[in-house]
Amino acid sequence: MNKEVVLSGIRPTGFLHLGNYFGAMRNYVRMQDNFNCYFFVANWHSLTTHPDTKELQNSVHRVIAENIACGLNPDKVALYVQSDVPEIAELYLYLSMLAYKGELEKTTTFKDKARLQPDNINAGLLTYPVLMASDILVHRAVKVPVGKDQEQHLEMARNFAERFNYRYGPVFPTPQAFNFGNELIKIMSLDGNGKMSKSENQMATLYLADDNDIIRKKIMKAKTDSGPTTSNSIKPDYIENLFTLMKLVSNEDVYTKFNEDFNNCIIRYGDMKKQLAEDMVAFISPIREKAADIQSNKELLTTIIHQGKEKARYSASATLTEVRKSIGMNY
Ligand code: TYM
């Protein structure tokens, strides 16, 4: 039986963090045995916001190394770099003709990024969702494991796929965002301000490369308050986030104990954070050490990237043959 096709990507714009892990990479690892998986480093996308490429090669290697350290097996999946697959750029060109200026300008990420970099509102930033749709559709993927922040991009990818099919004939399936469990995940920043991200407040972001002391320090500084005063009250979102992290990295009985303490208004956040810090150290340190080993082995990285490129181009070129045929560009 043919396995369903899965695709996802990560921009190499900084160090990977817990949001990337729980929103995306954990799902990649869980999917690798039962799906036909394509995972890649979105280095073209990174140029929309990070035109300086001094750190780019290092970051690409780190993303590959961290994915493997988290459990991804490059023999089971195609693990590749976006710029190694020129078919994506060709598909991006065709899909650009089906994407409208108005809808691109309305995209939340475009508006946010345009606000952050008013001197560099480039065309690549505007057409970011078209390139992302091309990444997905070039392998005719149906499941896309991503965090909640990518939902709108997925909806746009579906629109572009449907528009293409309507105009030129049925080539693409309609891809869906995916997470094990029903909900897409959003890990908040430890300071309670928005989502954890590669480039915002670094002291409020837990990176997979953080050393043990930094992990402890960041968690001890996480935002809390004086605690609930009525039993079973609703948790403020920054407290909920600490419980979410605890659920993800601590034993169930530890989580249950602190949750009961919260509900009974006897919670001591200092104790909770100490426990969470130790569990987080136990979670992150093996990933950090394995990733550092892989990253220092350039020969291994080159082999893995080359192998990924071959697998990705095999699938992408088959799709582009279909695409050109449907458009009538086969002479
Ligand atoms: P990027 O590089 O920002 O993030 C990579 C993945 O991590 C998830 N993520 C989070 N999940 C939960 N909580 C958070 N705080 C958090 N921060 C990040 C993201 O949802 C994502 O799954 N546009 C994409 C890269 C991309 C892509 C694609 C993804 C390019 N082409 C095709 C899927 C399919 C991005 O910027 O991800």
Side-chain angles (χ1 to χ4, degrees):
M1 202 181 83
N2 276 348
K3 290 178 175 175
E4 278 186 309
V5 179
V6 167
L7 172 128
S8 195
I10 298 181
R11 277 173 310 150
T13 48
F15 286 80
L16 299 191
H17 52 75
L18 280 191
N20 299 130
Y21 181 84
F22 288 110
M25 289 147 79
R26 183 173 68 155
N27 287 310
Y28 302 177
V29 175
R30 289 179 177 178
M31 295 177 103
Q32 64 184 336
D33 287 316
N34 299 322
F35 296 88
N36 181 8
C37 293
Y38 295 86
F39 299 122
F40 73 100
V41 189
N43 59 342
W44 279 335
H45 275 108
S46 74
L47 295 178
T48 62
T49 51
H50 292 62
D52 182 347
T53 52
K54 270 198 301 296
E55 283 302 313
L56 188 57
Q57 193 190 55
N58 227 348
S59 296
V60 168
H61 284 169
R62 193 172 47 242
V63 174
I64 298 272
E66 287 183 329
N67 270 283
I68 298 170
C70 289
L72 210 59
N73 180 345
D75 293 329
K76 289 187 182 164
V77 305
L79 181 59
Y80 61 97
V81 180
Q82 189 179 33
S83 60
D84 273 344
V85 185
E87 289 81 4
I88 299 169
E90 185 180 342
L91 184 55
Y92 170 54
L93 185 145
Y94 299 135
L95 294 181
S96 294
M97 315 299 174
L98 299 170
Y100 302 112
K101 177 172 165 274
E103 65 185 333
L104 295 172
E105 279 172 344
K106 271 196 288 188
T107 315
T108 313
T109 46
F110 172 71
K111 288 194 286 190
D112 288 348
K113 285 177 183 163
R115 214 174 303 123
L116 285 174
Q117 52 184 67
D119 298 331
N120 183 18
I121 307 178
N122 58 75
L125 201 58
L126 183 67
T127 56
Y128 187 111
V130 185
L131 182 55
M132 186 160 154
S134 311
D135 296 325
I136 299 168
L137 299 176
V138 85
H139 300 300
R140 287 174 272 189
V142 291
K143 285 194 166 59
V144 185
V146 283
K148 196 163 174 47
D149 59 327
Q150 299 297 317
E151 233 172 359
Q152 189 181 28
H153 288 155
L154 258 294
E155 191 186 321
M156 295 175 83
R158 282 193 289 279
N159 288 340
F160 301 145
E162 278 165 10
R163 256 175 241 167
F164 184 99
N165 290 346
Y166 179 73
R167 183 163 294 265
Y168 299 116
V171 173
F172 298 118
T174 44
Q176 306 290 337
F178 181 84
N179 185 62
F180 280 98
N182 297 327
E183 301 264 315
L184 296 184
I185 283 194
K186 176 175 169 184
I187 303 288
M188 303 260 302
S189 172
L190 295 173
D191 61 10
N193 285 326
K195 66 168 185 171
M196 204 173 265
S197 89
K198 295 190 200 99
S199 45
E200 271 149 54
N201 185 357
Q202 306 202 342
M203 273 315 281
T205 300
L206 287 164
Y207 297 103
L208 299 178
D210 278 344
D211 69 35
N212 296 349
D213 285 345
I214 291 281
I215 296 170
R216 292 190 182 99
K217 205 160 155 189
K218 287 180 177 176
I219 292 184
M220 293 317 287
K221 279 175 70 116
K223 178 172 178 181
T224 51
D225 50 32
S226 53
T229 47
T230 46
S231 41
N232 300 314
S233 43
I234 293 177
K235 298 183 180 95
D237 51 6
Y238 48 91
I239 298 294
E240 185 69 59
N241 195 42
L242 289 182
F243 276 96
T244 301
L245 293 178
M246 190 163 243
K247 197 171 217 161
L248 293 168
V249 302
S250 303
N251 286 333
E252 208 178 315
D253 47 347
V254 168
Y255 173 88
T256 307
K257 176 212 168 322
F258 284 105
N259 199 36
E260 279 169 8
D261 285 357
F262 178 90
N263 286 335
N264 297 327
C265 306
I266 53 167
I267 186 142
R268 291 156 60 125
Y269 287 129
D271 292 349
M272 180 182 178
K273 290 201 277 190
K274 260 190 218 146
Q275 175 73 47
L276 179 61
E278 290 318 308
D279 294 337
M280 194 60 77
V281 164
F283 176 78
I284 288 181
S285 57
I287 296 177
R288 179 187 67 230
E289 282 158 23
K290 192 160 177 214
D293 271 359
I294 299 167
Q295 210 185 335
S296 63
N297 188 343
K298 298 293 176 218
E299 214 174 301
L300 175 68
L301 285 169
T302 309
T303 308
I304 289 169
I305 289 172
H306 184 76
Q307 179 186 320
K309 168 184 171 173
E310 299 283 301
K311 291 188 204 168
R313 288 205 69 187
Y314 183 78
S315 150
S317 59
T319 302
L320 262 292
T321 301
E322 286 296 306
V323 165
R324 288 186 211 113
K325 210 166 27 171
S326 318
I327 303 179
M329 282 191 175
N330 48 340
Y331 304 106

